[in-house]
Amino acid sequence: MKKVYIETMGCQMNKSDTERMLGMLSHFGYEETKEPKQADLLMINTCSIRQLSEDKAFSAIGTWGKWKKDALAAGENLKNRTNIKIGFCGCVAQQKANEIFKRAPYVDFVLGTHKIYALPEIIKKINNDERVCECTETNATEDNLAKEYNIERVKGVNAWIPITEGCNNFCTYCIVPYTRGRERSRLPEIIIKEAQDALNAGFKEITLLGQNVDSYGKDLEDGTYRLAQLLKDLNKLEGKFRIRFVTSYPTDITDELIQTAVELDKVCEYFHIPMQSGSSAVLKAMNRRYDRETYAKIVEKVRKMVPDVTITSDFIAGFPGETEEQFTETLTAIDEFELDYSNVAAYSPREKTVAAKWVDKYIPEDIKDIRFQRLNDKVKENCLKSNLKYVGRDMEVLVESFYEHKGKMINSGKTRNFKTVHIPCEKDLTGEFVNVKISGAKTWYLKGEII
Ligand code: SAH
Ligand code: SF4
Ligand code: F3S
């Protein structure tokens, strides 16, 4: 067996692609190694959501390029290591294509996000010392090809299953529509099969993935098979397991979807609804299709209909032109809508996007950093507030990991509503559902005692 090492950056979409690529590679005689120095094939699956993520990708492969050069120079002495191959994949690859070779001439292949199923062909070519760039855009999903290969899922309790690829929203700050293309839904039967396979393999949670999961199915044959229907069909699969879905675009969440989520026993009380900014004027500039009031109504409805729901969000600090007052509206939104947790980021200009052209409105780095920090502090404060609500309650936890902390063994897992719970217990309960009484709350987790 040859060995492959894949470094995965970015979101779950990339992690899911990596699992698919490992599946294909195992078919062609490659096994995964966690040790890059032992690999015959080194691959990086890149993210370009912010400039920093893109820069990280290039600095990581610089070291690999050096290894390759040294191995070639050492020739016979290193025998099997004279033929290291390097692949550059993912969102930066899709966006930059052939340019990658200029910047990193030691790269053997560039593979974008649209054609990951071209990997077997690519491997054949690079083993014949060809150089390959496969970054053409497709308007189709690759479901037919997906059927041919296994997925080498990262061991754990949660299986991620993409249901849509791409995005049509073109928020003015975001590069995803350029790196992942137009929105396309995967076929229900393929998704259900992948879920069943994951359950057969022992996974206890299925998370459906998409940039905008609520638009699932719009582009399928008759357009009537939507997320709610998919959830119903997945809920019918046998056994005890949980279902989640991310990410929801605020205005696309339908009453039917919320109602379905309430009615189905396996679908969890968790909605990730990125708001991005608390200011209606900034939201308009971002090309988000809602204002503060509309977002407020959606959150209120979800909270009313779904008892104990956790609502999380994403926010950007320092979007071009954001005033101090508008930034403060983001802080008050987190409080007012009692957002349980939020991912936050400082605005990073991205090539091709509309907002990147508003150079004269860029917020100075130092101010952006301070806003980012203030946003983080607000998130922390609200997270603790949210966690404190659950002290004294009985909750069901799905254990995800078992480790030692300060001389004690801890089982760590999630409640249905996505709260992390640490349970002191000598026995490894990974993969089990346990009922606990919440005995304490910290900023990032709850403490639980088995009952
Ligand atoms: N489809 C999801 C978001 C996917 S990208 C949605 O619409 O909400 C994940 C997050 O990255 C976004 O929610 C946004 O907060 C952040 N992000 C995207 N582009 C960014 C940029 N240029 N600078 C900083 N953060 C960005
Ligand atoms: Fe990016 Fe907006 Fe699409 Fe989300 S909805 S992926 S933020 S363009
Ligand atoms: Fe994900 Fe980063 Fe691409 S967030 S879709 S890996 S740009």
Side-chain angles (χ1 to χ4, degrees), residues 9-14 46-49 91 175-176 179-180 211:
M9 303 170 136
C11 69
Q12 290 302 334
M13 226 24 135
N14 264 13
T46 60
C47 169
S48 55
I49 201 81
C91 289
I175 200 160
V176 172
T179 62
R180 292 269 167 186
Q211 295 303 346

Side-chain angles (χ1 to χ4, degrees), residues 315-328:
F315 288 98
I316 296 175
F319 183 75
E322 180 189 68
T323 63
E324 168 60 25
E325 204 181 7
Q326 288 167 339
F327 171 70
T328 313

Side-chain angles (χ1 to χ4, degrees), residues 176-414:
V176 172
Y178 305 94
T179 62
R180 292 269 167 186
R182 294 295 65 69
E183 187 176 273
R184 43 218 192 274
S185 302
R186 302 184 68 218
L187 296 173
E189 55 268 32
I190 302 278
I191 296 166
I192 294 164
K193 179 187 176 293
E194 287 184 1
Q196 184 64 67
D197 288 349
L199 296 172
N200 293 346
F203 287 87
K204 303 288 181 187
E205 192 169 277
I206 302 289
T207 304
L208 306 179
L209 264 187
Q211 295 303 346
N212 183 1
V213 282
D214 313 84
S215 56
Y216 175 76
K218 270 186 192 167
D219 56 325
L220 290 176
E221 225 163 271
D222 67 356
T224 59
Y225 192 98
R226 305 295 303 275
L227 180 59
Q229 188 57 47
L230 180 63
L231 289 173
K232 283 180 194 159
D233 284 341
L234 288 168
N235 200 73
K236 282 185 212 147
L237 297 179
E238 286 207 2
K240 184 168 169 67
F241 67 97
R242 291 173 174 178
I243 305 171
R244 304 186 189 278
F245 50 88
V246 287
T247 298
S248 299
Y249 191 91
T251 39
D252 290 343
I253 302 175
T254 59
D255 288 3
E256 188 199 4
L257 176 71
I258 308 172
Q259 196 52 43
T260 311
V262 175
E263 280 163 14
L264 300 176
D265 60 324
K266 288 166 181 155
V267 178
C268 294
E269 296 70 34
Y270 172 58
F271 280 75
H272 181 57
I273 321 176
M275 188 185 190
Q276 310 300 357
S277 167
S279 149
S280 296
V282 174
L283 288 169
K284 194 154 186 240
M286 287 176 162
N287 191 31
R288 300 287 285 186
R289 300 186 307 270
Y290 52 89
D291 57 13
R292 183 181 174 112
E293 288 65 38
T294 316
Y295 185 88
K297 282 193 194 123
I298 293 156
V299 166
E300 194 185 87
K301 193 193 305 175
V302 174
R303 285 216 188 278
K304 212 186 235 166
M305 288 173 72
V306 191
D308 284 339
V309 69
T310 288
I311 301 181
T312 58
S313 187
D314 294 351
F315 288 98
I316 296 175
F319 183 75
E322 180 189 68
T323 63
E324 168 60 25
E325 204 181 7
Q326 288 167 339
F327 171 70
T328 313
E329 287 183 74
T330 294
L331 298 180
T332 60
I334 295 179
D335 278 336
E336 200 181 308
F337 311 139
E338 297 180 32
L339 297 172
D340 298 280
Y341 172 77
S342 300
N343 302 307
V344 301
Y347 171 73
S348 169
R350 307 310 292 130
E351 200 185 323
K352 291 192 186 151
T353 60
V354 173
K357 299 185 179 80
W358 303 337
V359 182
D360 54 331
K361 291 189 183 158
Y362 280 9
I363 304 298
E365 288 300 319
D366 54 340
I367 298 185
K368 237 171 22 182
D369 285 349
I370 293 169
R371 288 185 188 169
F372 172 68
Q373 208 33 261
R374 287 163 70 196
L375 203 43
N376 262 320
D377 292 344
K378 178 52 78 188
V379 169
K380 269 195 205 163
E381 184 190 314
N382 270 50
C383 214
L384 180 61
K385 231 191 268 171
S386 157
N387 282 348
L388 283 167
K389 286 193 291 199
Y390 291 95
V391 176
R393 293 273 301 272
D394 295 347
M395 299 178 100
E396 182 200 74
V397 175
L398 168 57
V399 177
E400 295 173 337
S401 59
F402 180 62
Y403 55 87
E404 195 199 310
H405 180 67
K406 293 186 183 162
K408 268 194 188 162
M409 297 313 290
I410 304 283
N411 281 280
S412 174
K414 293 258 179 353

